[in-house]
Amino acid sequence: MRIALTRQVSDSIGRCELTHLARTPIDVSRALAQHRLYEEALSDLGCEVRRLQELPDLPDAVFVEDAAIVLDEVAIITRPGASSRRAETSSVAKALSPLRPLRSIDAPGTLDGGDVLRLGRRIWVGITRRTSAEGIENLRRHVAPFGYEVTGVAVRGCLHLKSAATAIGSEALLVNPAWVDPAVFDGLEIVEIDPSEPFAANALLVGEAVIYPEAYPSTERRLRARRIDLRTVDASELAKAEGGVTCCSLIVEI
Ligand code: CIR
């Protein structure tokens, strides 16, 4: 069984953290509607969608991916790099505690789930403004006993590693080579985004299907040419908050 943890868009999302984008007005009701369709796409792919408690005063609380790393053996509750986001983690820990043994990233380390990319037993972690060397070391200590290899990766020009590279298959990645050097993903098949669509590398693999924003038609054609089972969604309002499709759920297999 596959559970997808999500959280409704906060009324205060207009005050979200922004790093690379200029602030533009977010239409909360459109964002809510788009988020519901995203949840529907998860349900269509067999996920039981479980909504966490609403946190209306925490603008970025919809981006639940940043609060935890869920592996088969354990879940690691993060310490987000933006202090405004640290209060998001306790409700995620509460939801995960019946599903996995929990560990945590501890001060002074910081780590955002958006920086953590896993394929099999290999984990790449973006070294970014949000994720520190201590945070990565902390993660390594928690997961090494289960046989995971953790590699810190330089990322430039974007918020998180998963803005630059995400899984589109068990051995395949969608990558923006301007933001991360594809050579770090040794041995994996690399599909590059269309360079005219820099934000196009964030795709959400669920089983063998991929949830993908409809905003990147040229890259979408590249994915369709590979016969990937794509489920496109309109994620334009959350994109104004620098969120993508991976950010809005935590997938837990039980
Ligand atoms: C932030 O800056 O933290 C939010 N506005 C966006 C977080 C997006 N999360 C993700 O890419 N995993």
Side-chain angles (χ1 to χ4, degrees):
M1 178 185 174
R2 189 172 283 145
I3 295 167
L5 300 180
T6 63
R7 177 161 18 230
Q8 181 160 308
V9 177
S10 302
D11 293 343
S12 57
I13 189 166
R15 299 198 306 270
C16 64
E17 293 284 337
L18 285 176
T19 308
H20 295 280
L21 292 185
R23 197 168 295 281
T24 51
I26 297 178
D27 180 330
V28 177
S29 47
R30 273 192 78 200
L32 284 165
Q34 291 176 358
H35 187 257
R36 265 194 298 277
L37 290 174
Y38 169 83
E39 290 177 326
E40 245 174 70
L42 288 165
S43 302
D44 289 346
L45 292 174
C47 297
E48 178 190 304
V49 175
R50 288 190 192 170
R51 275 199 179 177
L52 302 169
Q53 72 182 75
E54 279 180 56
L55 295 173
D57 298 330
L58 296 181
D60 285 305
V62 62
F63 302 122
V64 292
E65 167 182 59
D66 291 315
I69 316 301
V70 181
L71 304 176
D72 289 347
E73 303 83 356
V74 69
I76 295 99
I77 304 303
T78 66
R79 182 167 182 268
S83 54
S84 67
R85 300 201 54 193
R86 300 219 174 114
E88 295 172 26
T89 57
S90 55
S91 52
V92 173
K94 195 167 153 205
L96 285 172
S97 63
L99 306 172
R100 293 288 190 275
L102 297 186
R103 305 281 184 275
S104 59
I105 302 295
D106 297 317
T110 61
L111 184 136
D112 278 14
D115 274 319
V116 179
L117 170 63
R118 182 189 68 84
L119 268 86
R121 298 270 141 188
R122 298 167 77 189
I123 299 179
W124 293 267
V125 189
I127 305 164
T128 62
R129 289 197 207 179
R130 299 291 177 88
T131 294
S132 66
E134 291 99 327
I136 297 175
E137 198 39 50
N138 216 188
L139 176 67
R140 182 179 285 117
R141 265 203 313 279
H142 290 314
V143 303
F146 303 107
Y148 292 95
E149 177 194 87
V150 174
T151 308
V153 173
V155 175
R156 51 186 177 268
C158 60
L159 180 60
H160 287 130
L161 173 60
K162 276 190 280 189
S163 321
T166 52
I168 50 170
S170 59
E171 300 279 324
L173 292 178
L174 181 61
V175 176
N176 177 347
W179 288 349
V180 67
D181 180 0
V184 300
F185 305 115
D186 180 36
L188 294 174
E189 184 188 349
I190 303 293
V191 178
E192 293 193 2
I193 57 145
D194 186 291
S196 67
E197 299 172 337
F199 291 92
N202 188 264
L204 175 62
L205 180 66
V206 182
E208 302 197 338
V210 169
I211 297 181
Y212 193 67
E214 62 186 29
Y216 312 116
S218 305
T219 305
E220 183 184 326
R221 272 195 294 281
R222 294 184 183 194
L223 296 172
R224 291 204 185 275
R226 310 178 82 83
R227 304 201 170 285
I228 291 173
D229 177 6
L230 277 191
R231 313 297 174 97
T232 52
V233 291
D234 181 357
S236 53
E237 289 304 309
L238 294 174
K240 295 178 187 170
E242 284 188 58
V245 286
T246 63
C247 322
C248 297
S249 57
L250 279 165
I251 310 279
V252 189
E253 314 270 351
I254 56 167

